[in-house]
Amino acid sequence: MGELVLVRHGQTEWSRGRRHTGRTDVPLTEEGERQAAALRPLLAGRTVGAVVTSPLRRAVRTAELAGLVATRTDPDLREWDYGGYEGVTTVQIRRERPGWDLWRDGVVPGDAAHPGERVEDVAARVDRVLEPLAAQVGDPGSADTVLVAHGHVLRVLTARWLGLDGGAGALFSLGTGAVCTLGREHDRPVVSSWNLVP
């Protein structure tokens, strides 16, 4: 049965340093390239009908190294726009805002290239991604659709797949170079697997 296969890109210098990496187009590290290439065996046995990636190069390169041929890129799969917190760690933010939590408290506006988004904005984007794909998921005659993107946007997408508010993405920790699958059980949207790494 067709599933949605979610792939988070491999490690970058910023993800290694736990810096919020939204629209900044940073490349994979050597370790990130290794993580991406190691995904091939996890994906090789699947019948893939489409591969949709974020347009950011860390996602596009992860797809390539994992042996996936991108059908298209979708700007709605870009990572959360962290606004003024772009490139900043949670530890640094909490020095000025003790107890700050992205999912609860959101971001502050940044410059013109990083205006910032609310979780509701990210949820609206992933709803547009899910809408044309939903009918194929769980259909015995359908191939898988692979989405290659970023940690927070894929977490929001998972919450929305399950019918939850986007903020429920906080419940789904997702590492770099990891694979997850979303499907249906008795017509109910489910998480079939989560955070798989080779």
Side-chain angles (χ1 to χ4, degrees):
M1 293 192 293
E3 291 187 303
L4 287 178
V5 180
L6 313 182
V7 177
R8 183 181 175 195
H9 64 77
Q11 180 194 79
T12 68
E13 193 68 39
W14 281 24
S15 68
R16 181 171 57 196
R18 307 200 54 84
R19 295 169 67 183
H20 287 89
T21 317
R23 294 186 176 187
T24 305
D25 204 3
V26 296
L28 298 177
T29 61
E30 187 175 312
E31 172 62 12
E33 294 210 348
R34 186 204 62 74
Q35 288 175 332
L39 294 175
R40 281 181 180 251
L42 283 178
L43 302 169
R46 294 188 163 273
T47 301
V48 175
V51 176
V52 185
T53 71
S54 159
L56 298 173
R57 63 181 164 166
R58 58 192 182 269
V60 172
R61 182 67 175 145
T62 294
E64 291 169 356
L65 291 169
L68 301 167
V69 177
T71 309
R72 64 186 172 89
T73 61
D74 188 334
D76 283 333
L77 284 174
R78 284 180 188 253
E79 183 58 294
W80 193 324
D81 178 355
Y82 300 117
Y85 293 149
E86 182 77 4
V88 182
T89 68
T90 297
V91 170
Q92 291 170 322
I93 296 166
R94 286 180 175 170
R95 286 183 192 140
E96 294 184 18
R97 292 183 67 183
W100 174 83
D101 178 79
L102 172 67
W103 301 94
R104 182 189 62 232
D105 304 320
V107 301
V108 296
D111 58 23
H114 306 92
E117 285 183 295
R118 300 170 305 134
V119 68
E120 294 84 3
D121 300 325
V122 182
R125 287 198 283 117
V126 299
D127 284 350
R128 291 192 297 264
V129 172
L130 287 171
E131 184 180 0
L133 304 175
Q136 303 166 33
V137 178
D139 180 350
S142 292
D144 294 332
T145 298
V146 182
L147 305 177
V148 185
H150 315 276
H152 282 137
V153 74
L154 291 175
R155 292 167 67 175
V156 174
L157 184 144
T158 299
R160 298 299 298 141
W161 172 251
L162 296 173
L164 305 171
D165 289 337
L171 304 173
F172 303 100
S173 178
L174 181 56
T176 54
V179 173
C180 310
T181 54
L182 306 178
R184 291 187 194 276
E185 181 180 65
H186 306 299
D187 297 323
R188 181 184 301 116
V190 297
V191 174
S192 305
S193 66
W194 193 258
N195 220 20
L196 302 177
V197 292

